[in-house]
Amino acid sequence: MSAPEIPQSCHVFCNDALGRDDATTLAEKIRRRELSITELAGAAIARAQAAQPLIHGVASADYDQALQTASTLDAATQVGSQPLFRGVPTFIKDNTNVTGLATRQGSLAVPEAPASDTSPFAQQLLAQGVLCLGKSTLPEFGFNATTEPVHAPATRNPWNLAYSSGASSGGSAALVAAGVVPIAHANDGGGSIRIPAACCGLVGLKPTRGRLIDNEAAASLPINIISEGVVTRSVRDTANFFEQAESYYRNPKLPAIGKIERPSGRPLRIGLVLDSINGHITDDITRRTVEETALRLEKLGHRIEPVPVPVHSAFPDDFALYWALLAFGIRANGKKLLHPAFDKRRTDGLTNGLDRMFRRQFWRLPAALWRLKHSWHDYAHAMAGFDAVLTPVLGHATPTLGHLSPEVPFDTLFERLRQYVSFTPLANATGAPAISIPMGRTPDQLPVSVQFMGRHGGEHTLLDIAYTLEASHTWPLLCDSNRHKFTTDDSLKDSLANPV
């Protein structure tokens, strides 16, 4: 008997409790008692079980506990105001602690031991009422730009299963794009919210440094490049997430984002960057998508002006060295930082190669750190006359699986990563906010996205732009594109039989 044919793409949108609704609509239906939380959790679990054999976005599941919690929430008497996203199912990335669930960091080097606590940011996320179904996949320690761990199946892009879902929040992005859940946790140390959002056609906002509560690892870095957030299918879910996050914790040093429900119509001055500082030319489909977005904004009354990249020419090498420093630190101190049973002999080729690179170049670190810290001032000065800057998210369209695998020889892999991840790291080093928005398609029907970078504290403006583009250029869900819908188990066919 021949092996079953693998479909080109997959989604699990259907006429169940989740439908094709975003998180905001689902939460409204729960509040109006049109849906129970148990019903919604059951639908999400059925979708996750159907999608997992092909997209592999779930690192570990806690479905029984999620259903038990959902039942308890349904039985509880609601008194006073409730969290906005109460009962909406989600996944939390597997580099963030949730009590009782293992945090493997996408690595064989970390043992599968349940966490004894819930990380500070996870507490901020869960305070919004979301129901955690389990952990989503990531590449080892979040270092790679594709979610292809050596010890587990690659996380596939739902739009085309032969391609990468991005990283390091690739599991979350794949699950949201495929319709398993409407919102999922992501974090970003060099583009890891924006890259998978771009690959999977989602909205991904990396906030200003300090906007949300930092987890312990971020707070201990010499330069905190890590930001927390979510990936979503609608601008309003992202906007509502940040508005609700501020009700849990508000950084008094930053202007409030507040509630944003629609575009303001205010004309903006927006800079335009097409090619990265590292010398690599942006590919044709990405460049065309950025240029078309600029033209669209001009027609809507905004002013677009080409600008140079606001950073020192040494930035690509400096950030690469900092990236390597993190790998060196984990391999050298993993037993203290991650788990007493951490085994550095089991780290993958990318982590090992970065570690070796740092050991060869460590003498450059003091000057590199000085320039990276100073990049905040360079960026703020360059942005003084602009509301935002429009750039590609990535140097070229989403690659096929294998192109960025950690099993590729390190020198080849590292050069590929430098060409691909050439626009996102600047926001991490400078602490600026940046958002990824889907605006085009490749011939292989993969999303192509653009990035807007804002002033420090300027998330409100970025969400304003995102609302404007969503209203004028509504991006399709995967189920809108007449793509292949699949089921993998006869027992699930009844619940997934009626595509939306």
Side-chain angles (χ1 to χ4, degrees):
M1 179 181 296
S2 61
E5 181 182 355
I6 296 177
Q8 183 184 26
S9 65
C10 74
H11 74 77
V12 287
F13 291 96
C14 61
N15 289 328
D16 60 4
L18 286 161
R20 55 185 291 160
D21 292 329
D22 68 359
T24 300
T25 295
L26 292 171
E28 289 170 354
K29 288 182 176 181
I30 290 171
R31 284 193 294 276
R32 294 195 300 262
R33 297 189 180 274
E34 296 175 15
L35 289 175
S36 72
I37 297 172
T38 301
E39 185 180 9
L40 203 59
I45 290 168
R47 289 188 181 195
Q49 290 172 330
Q52 179 66 4
L54 284 184
I55 66 171
H56 305 293
V58 179
S60 62
D62 197 21
Y63 298 148
D64 290 342
Q65 180 59 53
L67 287 171
Q68 182 178 332
T69 301
S71 178
T72 300
L73 290 171
D74 280 331
T77 301
Q78 297 184 37
V79 179
S81 62
Q82 298 293 319
L84 179 65
F85 291 126
R86 180 176 181 270
V88 175
T90 195
F91 284 84
I92 292 177
K93 187 173 171 180
D94 196 26
N95 62 358
T96 299
N97 281 1
V98 175
T99 301
L101 297 180
T103 304
R104 296 293 305 277
Q105 299 281 346
S107 177
L108 273 175
V110 182
E112 191 170 355
S116 59
D117 65 343
T118 296
S119 296
F121 171 76
Q123 295 178 38
Q124 186 176 19
L125 172 62
L126 293 169
Q128 299 197 25
V130 293
L131 179 67
C132 179
L133 302 183
K135 294 294 199 68
S136 62
T137 54
L138 74 155
E140 184 168 273
F141 310 122
F143 289 151
N144 208 339
T146 187
T147 304
E148 299 181 48
V150 296
H151 62 285
T155 301
R156 297 176 179 271
N157 192 317
W159 287 89
N160 189 321
L161 295 171
Y163 286 79
S164 170
S165 66
S168 65
S169 308
S172 288
L175 292 168
V176 173
V180 175
V181 291
I183 185 171
H185 169 228
N187 47 30
D188 193 316
S192 297
I193 294 172
R194 293 157 288 157
I195 293 169
C199 293
C200 295
L202 305 175
V203 179
L205 171 58
K206 177 210 124 18
T208 304
R209 182 159 48 222
R211 172 68 72 184
L212 302 177
I213 295 176
D214 288 326
N215 284 328
E216 298 88 340
S220 66
L221 295 174
I223 301 172
N224 180 9
I225 60 172
I226 301 172
S227 293
E228 304 291 336
V230 293
V231 287
T232 70
R233 296 193 296 263
S234 70
V235 176
R236 71 172 181 169
D237 276 357
T238 295
N240 286 337
F241 163 79
F242 280 96
E243 188 260 337
Q244 289 294 298
E246 285 190 319
S247 69
Y248 182 90
Y249 166 75
R250 161 90 195 284
N251 187 336
K253 297 180 180 180
L254 296 173
I257 297 174
K259 190 165 186 64
I260 311 170
E261 299 180 280
R262 61 187 63 86
S264 68
R266 178 172 64 96
L268 302 172
R269 186 182 181 207
I270 300 173
L272 175 64
V273 173
L274 290 171
D275 293 312
S276 70
I277 194 173
N278 66 11
H280 298 293
I281 303 300
T282 303
D283 75 349
D284 290 343
I285 186 65
T286 304
R287 176 182 292 268
R288 184 163 64 250
T289 301
V290 175
E291 291 173 334
E292 289 172 352
T293 302
L295 289 172
R296 182 179 294 274
L297 288 168
E298 283 188 323
K299 290 178 180 178
L300 293 170
H302 301 288
R303 183 178 172 185
I304 309 296
E305 300 178 19
V307 295
V309 179
V311 72
H312 193 280
S313 60
F315 178 81
D317 290 336
D318 291 343
F319 194 87
L321 183 63
Y322 192 76
W323 183 13
L325 167 67
L326 301 183
F328 165 79
I330 284 177
R331 278 184 51 81
N333 299 298
K335 291 183 181 295
K336 293 181 180 179
L337 296 173
L338 299 175
H339 193 277
F342 174 84
D343 184 355
K344 68 179 181 180
R345 295 170 300 178
R346 306 187 81 181
T347 53
D348 71 18
L350 177 58
T351 302
N352 296 340
L354 289 169
D355 176 38
R356 291 193 302 270
M357 186 174 84
F358 178 76
R359 292 173 185 273
R360 289 195 305 268
Q361 300 182 25
F362 71 91
W363 56 271
R364 290 184 46 239
L365 186 63
L369 286 177
W370 185 90
R371 285 190 295 266
L372 289 173
K373 289 178 179 179
H374 196 74
S375 67
W376 185 98
H377 302 281
D378 293 338
Y379 181 85
H381 177 75
M383 287 293 295
F386 292 90
D387 297 292
V389 172
L390 167 62
T391 80
V393 179
L394 293 156
H396 59 77
T398 305
T400 55
L401 291 169
H403 181 74
L404 299 176
S405 167
E407 296 183 301
V408 171
F410 176 74
D411 290 344
T412 300
L413 173 58
F414 190 70
E415 181 57 26
R416 289 176 178 178
L417 286 168
R418 284 173 67 98
Q419 292 183 34
Y420 185 50
V421 185
S422 50
F423 291 93
T424 52
L426 180 59
N428 299 89
T430 63
I435 191 168
S436 173
I437 304 170
M439 291 299 295
R441 288 284 179 272
T442 71
D444 292 316
Q445 294 304 303
L446 289 160
V448 180
S449 296
V450 302
Q451 174 178 248
F452 289 90
M453 299 178 64
R455 297 175 182 173
H456 294 102
E459 288 91 337
H460 191 290
T461 297
L462 298 184
L463 289 166
D464 187 355
I465 294 169
Y467 268 122
T468 298
L469 291 172
E470 185 182 43
S472 67
H473 176 74
T474 302
W475 42 82
L477 302 179
L478 181 50
C479 58
D480 294 327
S481 60
N482 297 317
R483 308 287 280 166
H484 185 98
K485 175 184 174 295
F486 78 98
T487 57
T488 58
D489 188 306
D490 288 341
S491 67
L492 294 171
K493 286 183 179 179
D494 288 340
S495 64
L496 296 172
N498 300 307
V500 176

